[in-house]
Amino acid sequence: MKTTKKEFEPTAEETRRIGEMLEKPEFRSLLMDYMKEISDPANKAEYDAYLEQLEQGEGLAPHGMKIVKPKPWFCIRTVDRSKPKQTSKNSSKSGNDSSNKSVFVNVCTTNQLETASVVERTSA
């Protein structure tokens, strides 16, 4: 079996599925709640204390899992150029064109994990 490395590129199915989920109000609400929660300095201190407790104790982390503290590295700013779905006749007049939406991708780093890669497997 031959393996080759290539850069990660989400499949059309993965991209479609993420888009589907982001269209659901319940998912967006949960995501926003999570983002607010992890952005609150009081919660951050609590999370950090909990992670420190897991790191210090033997067997506190779930079996087969490793506690990783990523460090901020850089942020990518891009634009969502996907075509907006028309949900009603007036939706295009609302100015809610997704081609104007900025998308930010925060990239973190850690020396605790192997470098990420995509491996394409083909039969030999």
Side-chain angles (χ1 to χ4, degrees), residues 23 80-87 91-92 96-99:
E23 288 177 11
D80 179 357
R81 296 193 186 274
S82 63
K83 295 179 183 175
K85 283 191 174 181
Q86 300 256 336
T87 55
S91 65
S92 62
N96 201 8
D97 182 2
S98 69
S99 64

Side-chain angles (χ1 to χ4, degrees), residues 74-78 103-107:
F74 63 90
C75 180
I76 301 168
R77 179 177 182 231
T78 188
V103 176
F104 296 89
V105 179
N106 293 315
V107 180

